[in-house]
Amino acid sequence: MSQSNASQSAPLGDPNHAIDLALFGALGDLAMRKLFPALYHLDREGLMPESTRIMGLARQEHDAASFRKMVNEVLQKRLKSNEQDQQSLERFLARLDYLKLDFSSVDGYDAIRQWRKGSPRPMVVYLSVGARIYGDICHHLQASKSLDNESRVVVEKPIGSDLHSSIEINDAIGEVFPESRIYRIDHYLGKETVQNLIALRFANPLFGTQWNQNNISHVEITVAEKVGIEGRWGYFDEAGQLRDMVQNHLLQLLCLIAMDPPSNLDADAIRDEKVKVLKALKPFVGEALGRDVVRGQYIAGNSDGQAVPGYLEEEDANIQSQTETFVAMKTEVANWRWAGVPFYLRTGKRMPEKLSQIVIHFRQQPHYIFDPDQRGIASNKLIIRLQPEEGIALQVLTKDSGLDKGMRLRPGPLHLDFNSAFPKSRIPDAYERLLLEVMKGQQYLFVRRDEIEHAWRWCDQLIDGWKKRDTPPRRYPAGSWGPVASIAMITQDGRSWYEDY
Ligand code: BG6
């Protein structure tokens, strides 16, 4: 383990941001994979106030010592060697405590009240458990008098599986916590480049004046994953790619691209604008469902040169399943800014690579003066890449160099690669930023109830349409970019999915 100067010299967080964190589901996959590493990083970066305490809650038998040992092992495994240092690690582990609790019974909750007794810090309740028990946990916390007027709750997606179930869950949480103290996570909102979208759009007049249907011809949003289902078949099969990825991550990205400028950076100013976009999304009616939406399911294929099974051959699979692992669609935000501008979205499992990117395609010049045979060269594009390497590129047309080239044009990128532009700064994981905002009590990176419900309303009409049509998803080989129909959907408009960077 290497010793880092960063941690030794870093001050320990603003004392006003100290919290008592009660983490329900502390032994679960999300906690181990994401939350503990993120909390450790906050501590190591000097962003976690000294008095912050973390109570892990789960059903299994453990005590503080065995729980710390387990978290330590996970951190050793997940952190890079230059991210580990003894002093930070010890300080972080010392904050941890453990409580064995049956979440469904109010009996054990008194121990949380005892833990909190006399604490001057607000309690943050993090529910890293299935949404169906969010309501019970909130009510038990209330009944046991573990909460006070400053307590906050953090909840993970998916909140429900349709509008109706999400209303039930939100109602149950809302009976205990006011909206101003509910933090609904969409981890895409914590990604560095997603945040940069706000800076890019609203700090640069260059883009501000161009951002509308007069200047933009179409927008693409791709969130492709190389992985398949990874042992989550049961959960995933009930959800499918539309509920798992579009209802939340892709629609949030779309909102940040399409929203009007908020009057300030307050949570509600931003969220009000996002809700307007969700309300303006065109529903898929009549023929549009067959024409503008493609559902796919992967069959056996290759990933990184290795043969991989199809969705129906994965462990625990039901071979009758018609759940989609891929979806592509052409939608529109029906308002003055965007009328007539298609938004092409696609997302899938078992694609050739992990790639999340947004491409804004600007219109051609109205009057063209260069070589007629170069007219087809695509005009400006703004490419915002979220992963794998985060960065922003603006494709511009310049003169091709060389005496023999005359005024021939050549497209080339103006490139901002975050890793090389800011080589010393580590790009924090989305959960670090989100947890920090929860500690500060700031909500702008979290999703408000009405956003979730409008997103469900839009997805529900799509799901209902699919049910009525009852057509099976189109097959695509693992390791490909999805069903051929998803490529045809965009090429029939004279365009193609952007693949260079
Ligand atoms: C989650 C989905 O919300 O996002 C997963 O449930 C998906 O199915 C994951 O794999 C993708 O997140 P990221 O940050 O790896 O793009």
Side-chain angles (χ1 to χ4, degrees), residues 220-246:
E220 278 177 57
I221 304 179
T222 294
V223 178
E225 292 181 84
K226 192 146 84 172
V227 292
I229 297 308
E230 297 202 298
R232 299 193 302 155
W233 208 91
Y235 155 75
F236 186 84
D237 198 60
E238 289 208 352
Q241 197 73 355
L242 183 80
R243 290 186 175 98
D244 189 46
M245 297 294 288
V246 179

Side-chain angles (χ1 to χ4, degrees), residues 149-416:
N149 289 341
E150 284 192 75
S151 304
R152 305 165 204 162
V153 66
V154 184
V155 289
E156 278 288 336
K157 76 167 251 288
I159 299 190
S161 54
D162 54 14
L163 177 62
H164 176 75
S165 52
S166 82
I167 289 177
E168 275 182 2
I169 295 165
N170 279 323
D171 277 351
I173 303 170
E175 281 158 17
V176 177
F177 291 93
E179 185 65 31
S180 61
R181 289 193 268 116
I182 303 175
Y183 293 73
R184 295 183 193 82
I185 292 218
D186 182 315
H187 76 276
Y188 269 54
L189 294 182
K191 290 186 191 271
E192 183 83 0
T193 332
V194 175
Q195 297 223 295
N196 240 316
L197 256 176
I198 295 183
L200 191 76
R201 283 200 54 197
F202 303 125
N204 295 292
L206 175 69
F207 296 122
T209 52
Q210 300 293 308
W211 215 258
N212 54 45
Q213 42 89 12
N214 292 326
N215 303 296
I216 291 176
S217 70
H218 63 289
V219 176
E220 278 177 57
I221 304 179
T222 294
V223 178
E225 292 181 84
K226 192 146 84 172
V227 292
I229 297 308
E230 297 202 298
R232 299 193 302 155
W233 208 91
Y235 155 75
F236 186 84
D237 198 60
E238 289 208 352
Q241 197 73 355
L242 183 80
R243 290 186 175 98
D244 189 46
M245 297 294 288
V246 179
Q247 190 272 343
N248 32 74
H249 309 322
L250 276 90
L251 287 187
Q252 283 294 327
L253 296 179
L254 186 149
C255 283
L256 292 173
I257 295 289
M259 73 186 195
D260 277 354
S263 52
N264 53 51
L265 283 181
D266 287 352
D268 279 332
I270 295 178
R271 300 191 294 184
D272 286 347
E273 295 306 332
K274 288 199 281 170
V275 165
K276 287 186 205 158
V277 173
L278 292 167
K279 283 184 174 169
L281 275 181
K282 260 196 186 168
F284 295 96
V285 282
E287 286 181 355
L289 195 63
R291 190 189 56 219
D292 296 340
V293 188
V294 176
R295 296 171 76 221
Q297 188 185 75
Y298 66 83
I299 54 173
N302 277 285
S303 181
D304 281 338
Q306 301 281 323
V308 292
Y311 178 68
L312 300 182
E313 294 135 24
E314 299 273 13
E315 202 184 327
D316 299 331
N318 161 11
I319 55 164
Q320 308 289 335
S321 170
Q322 300 219 342
T323 297
E324 79 286 350
T325 59
F326 172 95
V327 57
M329 59 181 71
K330 173 166 106 170
T331 184
E332 193 182 317
V333 180
N335 64 16
W336 280 59
R337 186 185 283 270
W338 294 112
V341 177
F343 282 71
Y344 299 95
L345 316 185
R346 69 173 168 170
T347 176
K349 310 275 186 229
R350 280 282 184 235
M351 308 265 95
E353 55 184 297
K354 183 167 176 74
L355 169 75
S356 300
Q357 76 182 11
I358 300 165
V359 187
I360 315 287
H361 297 257
F362 290 90
R363 290 191 190 281
Q364 303 272 17
Q365 292 287 37
H367 177 61
Y368 190 79
I369 56 173
F370 298 93
D371 229 350
D373 71 349
Q374 286 203 293
R375 218 191 156 103
I377 294 187
S379 57
N380 299 145
K381 291 181 189 52
L382 179 67
I383 303 134
I384 302 155
R385 170 143 321 175
L386 278 56
Q387 48 200 18
E389 58 307 307
E390 313 189 284
I392 295 173
L394 178 64
Q395 182 177 289
V396 290
L397 297 181
T398 52
K399 188 192 111 37
D400 205 353
S401 58
L403 292 174
D404 56 335
K405 298 292 185 332
M407 274 307 275
R408 286 198 68 80
L409 301 175
R410 184 184 59 172
L414 295 178
H415 214 132
L416 174 62

